[in-house]
Amino acid sequence: MAHEFELPDVGEGLTEAEIVRWLVEPGETVTEDQPVAEVETDKAVVEVPAPVNGTVAELRAEEGEMVSVGTVIITFDVDGDSDATDDEGEPADKATTDEAATEDDDSTTDAAPTGADGRVFAAPSTRRLARELGVDIAAVDGSGPGGRVTEADVRAAADATDTVESGADDAPPSGDDADTDDTDDDVRSAVRRVDEEADDGGSDATPDEKPTAAEAADRDRTLAAPATRKLADESGVDLDAVPTDETRDGEAFVTPEQVQQYAEAQTEAQAADTAAVADTTADTAGDERIPYRGIRRTIGERMAESKRTVPHATHHDEVDVTRLVEIRDRLSDRAEARDTKLTYMPFVLKAVVAGLQEHPVLNAQLDEDAEEIVLRSDYNVGVATATDAGLMVPVVDDVDRKGLLAIADEMRDLVSKARERSIAPEEMQGGTFTVTNFGAVGGEYATPIINYPEAAILGLGEIKRKPRVVDDEIVPRDVLTLSLSIDHRVIDGAEAASFVNTVSAYLEDPELLLLE
């Protein structure tokens, strides 16, 4: 008996995820908690562990497919279970199997090709299609490479079943009833399926109602005159696909007029499709389309929510960080001796926390439902990080309680995991303030979008050598630009300027951080 495993909620409030990569294959033995798949949520790429010990029976989703939480994505044969045993615990039909095997070692059966473990070779989407169409995939001949069962094989099997059922229902009556007029209401179209009539609650079709050209009859046999068959060949038409409601001796019969109408309808449909494609691609020749989902879509949605919700205002300023540059350079060797790379960011985070402590309204959130401004007691600073998947914001918790080297080490680990897309969702939650360093790519000023529901975000520009007046003399100094965006519902411009002044004072004289 197979164990069905549903996609779990791998993050707070998530409703769907993308299957990035399967780590197992059907027939592979797995142990409990062994990673079986990598899925991308709207926050990060995470591994999904196996819930049981057993053997992978079936993968029910393809790589790249978006799957809703709660959907069965994989099934397992739990250790000790077996589909090949009967109620007595003995292999079912063993004698029959042995006899068949000894008759002809090179003989083939009607069953789909299987691997050494007795499993059918088919993609998850093909298996899903088989389930939807009610087809036993184990009984389908595979036409793909290595005997793999394709979707076309499944559809053909489903159509064959429909044809058999339809033929049984459409068989001409025996005896005197055989002379019943063909226009009787019980006579069905050769291309109308039994399941369609069941859905409609019975057939209301009249002899004047013709199936559309798009409806493929897919009959196994069609009667037609030689001239009609020649016309079909010249027109490139599959005679068995031509809709008809005429019959001869209980078999579908196609006329030349029907072949001509079907060929013209196909030509018109192809022309319409070509025109539609031309309309959509006329001005986009050579364009590349990238799926807008996962982390990229989440970033877009949150940025849009922030701009819709928050009235942004941005305050710009410059700060002389010449002494900061000197101190950081002096401490770098000592930090490297402790296997730590000391950048400017730990100094900035400590200066930011000092500013937040003096100006608590910058470390706040607006609770609109309660109509309250919540001054956060924690100092958890998010660090915006550029990754291949888009901008992610790992959060360094409790910055006020950590030293420069501890902050540097934690930042390095978080940023590395974010760029490798292995960061846990909880490592990007709980932030109270965010810092973004666009200066790393050469920018000076910007208008950062607030990481809602936070109330502010500080942007760092590039540190550049600029002329400054010191003791009435023009001298070169290292200058850092700051761009602070605020939620103007919560923070006034004067408070924003005062916060920037406090942060600047700590960056101009980093030794003040020793007092924090």
Side-chain angles (χ1 to χ4, degrees):
M1 180 176 180
H3 177 91
E4 296 185 337
F5 179 56
E6 300 176 350
L7 177 66
D9 184 352
V10 293
E12 183 179 355
L14 299 180
T15 60
E16 62 180 4
E18 176 184 350
I19 305 295
V20 175
R21 183 164 65 100
W22 283 109
L23 305 177
V24 295
E25 297 179 351
E28 183 175 337
T29 301
V30 298
T31 58
E32 185 176 359
D33 293 331
Q34 175 185 335
V36 296
E38 290 181 353
V39 301
E40 180 179 350
T41 69
D42 61 357
K43 298 180 183 294
V45 173
V46 297
E47 292 182 340
V48 175
V52 294
N53 296 324
T55 303
V56 178
E58 182 180 4
L59 306 180
R60 293 196 179 180
E62 292 185 326
E63 293 181 354
E65 182 178 348
M66 294 297 296
V67 181
S68 299
V69 171
T71 300
V72 176
I73 60 173
I74 185 172
T75 60
F76 302 92
D77 283 338
V78 180
D79 290 347
D81 290 345
S82 174
D83 294 334
T85 58
D86 57 18
D87 293 339
E88 298 296 330
E90 294 296 328
D93 297 331
K94 182 178 186 301
T96 303
T97 303
D98 291 342
E99 291 173 4
T102 57
E103 283 184 10
D104 188 352
D105 291 341
D106 296 327
S107 64
T108 58
T109 67
D110 292 335
T114 60
D117 57 358
R119 303 194 185 282
V120 177
F121 295 143
S125 59
T126 304
R127 295 176 183 275
R128 182 167 58 251
L129 178 63
R131 290 193 298 272
E132 293 172 353
L133 298 180
V135 172
D136 180 7
I137 198 168
V140 178
D141 285 326
S143 63
R148 193 177 193 85
V149 177
T150 67
E151 292 188 8
D153 297 332
V154 172
R155 294 185 187 279
D159 291 338
T161 301
D162 290 337
T163 300
V164 172
E165 294 178 355
S166 178
D169 290 340
D170 293 345
S174 59
D176 295 337
D177 292 337
D179 294 330
T180 302
D181 187 67
D182 286 347
T183 59
D184 185 77
D185 290 342
D186 290 338
V187 178
R188 299 173 179 173
S189 166
V191 299
R192 186 169 180 82
R193 296 178 178 175
V194 175
D195 56 352
E196 292 175 344
E197 294 187 1
D199 292 339
D200 294 340
S203 175
D204 295 328
T206 66
D208 294 334
E209 294 177 346
K210 298 291 191 297
T212 65
E215 294 176 315
D218 290 333
R219 296 179 294 273
D220 291 332
R221 182 182 178 188
T222 300
L223 300 181
T228 305
R229 294 185 181 277
K230 181 179 179 181
L231 177 61
D233 290 339
E234 293 174 349
S235 304
V237 169
D238 180 5
L239 199 64
D240 293 331
V242 178
T244 181
D245 56 359
E246 297 189 26
T247 61
R248 295 289 188 276
D249 298 327
E251 297 285 354
F253 183 81
V254 172
T255 66
E257 292 78 12
Q258 291 171 329
V259 171
Q260 186 65 34
Q261 292 174 359
Y262 184 71
E264 292 174 355
Q266 280 189 317
T267 301
E268 292 175 359
Q270 291 173 354
D273 291 342
T274 301
V277 171
D279 289 341
T280 59
T281 62
D283 299 326
T284 59
D287 289 355
E288 180 184 2
R289 289 181 172 268
I290 301 173
Y292 182 61
R293 62 193 185 200
I295 296 174
R296 180 75 267 167
R297 184 179 67 184
T298 301
I299 294 172
E301 291 174 348
R302 291 185 176 176
M303 294 298 98
E305 179 187 17
S306 180
K307 289 297 288 185
R308 285 195 306 265
T309 307
V310 177
H312 282 62
T314 304
H315 176 84
H316 301 287
D317 208 343
E318 293 183 339
V319 52
D320 186 337
V321 293
T322 303
R323 294 191 65 186
L324 172 61
V325 172
E326 294 173 350
I327 291 177
R328 181 257 179 185
D329 290 343
R330 192 168 65 247
L331 296 176
S332 291
D333 291 341
R334 184 165 296 182
E336 289 180 4
R338 298 175 59 176
D339 197 26
T340 297
K341 182 179 180 181
L342 185 61
T343 65
Y344 295 110
M345 190 62 76
F347 293 94
V348 173
L349 265 57
K350 292 295 288 185
V352 163
V353 168
L356 295 176
Q357 290 173 332
E358 291 191 30
H359 307 278
V361 72
L362 273 293
N363 198 49
Q365 295 179 1
L366 177 61
D367 186 340
E368 298 180 65
D369 294 335
E371 297 184 340
E372 296 174 340
I373 297 174
V374 182
L375 303 181
R376 298 292 302 273
S377 59
D378 297 327
Y379 297 93
N380 305 327
V381 182
V383 180
T385 303
T387 73
D388 292 340
L391 197 67
M392 302 174 70
V393 187
V395 177
V396 181
D397 293 331
D398 303 321
V399 176
D400 56 318
R401 303 176 187 176
K402 297 173 181 175
L404 293 174
L405 297 185
I407 294 173
D409 288 339
E410 187 170 343
M411 278 184 49
R412 177 190 61 192
D413 293 341
L414 289 172
V415 169
S416 176
K417 287 194 287 186
R419 288 176 175 160
E420 293 171 357
R421 300 172 71 183
S422 62
I423 190 168
E426 58 268 19
E427 292 176 309
M428 295 188 292
Q429 298 172 352
T432 62
F433 188 94
T434 296
V435 175
T436 179
N437 181 19
F438 48 79
V441 292
E444 281 197 79
Y445 292 100
T447 54
I449 297 178
I450 295 169
N451 190 16
Y452 183 77
E454 297 170 11
I457 181 173
L458 179 66
L460 308 178
E462 182 182 11
I463 297 177
K464 292 185 176 180
R465 296 286 281 177
K466 295 183 179 182
R468 286 293 182 268
V469 177
V470 179
D471 296 332
D472 293 331
E473 293 184 4
I474 298 178
V475 295
R477 305 290 287 180
D478 293 303
V479 177
L480 170 66
T481 54
L482 303 177
S483 299
L484 176 71
S485 290
I486 59 170
D487 183 344
H488 222 324
R489 301 172 302 173
V490 178
I491 305 166
D492 295 329
E495 193 75 38
S498 296
F499 169 79
V500 171
N501 290 341
T502 301
V503 173
S504 297
Y506 281 94
L507 295 177
E508 288 178 353
D509 188 3
E511 292 176 352
L512 293 175
L513 295 174
L514 298 175
L515 302 176
E516 299 300 320

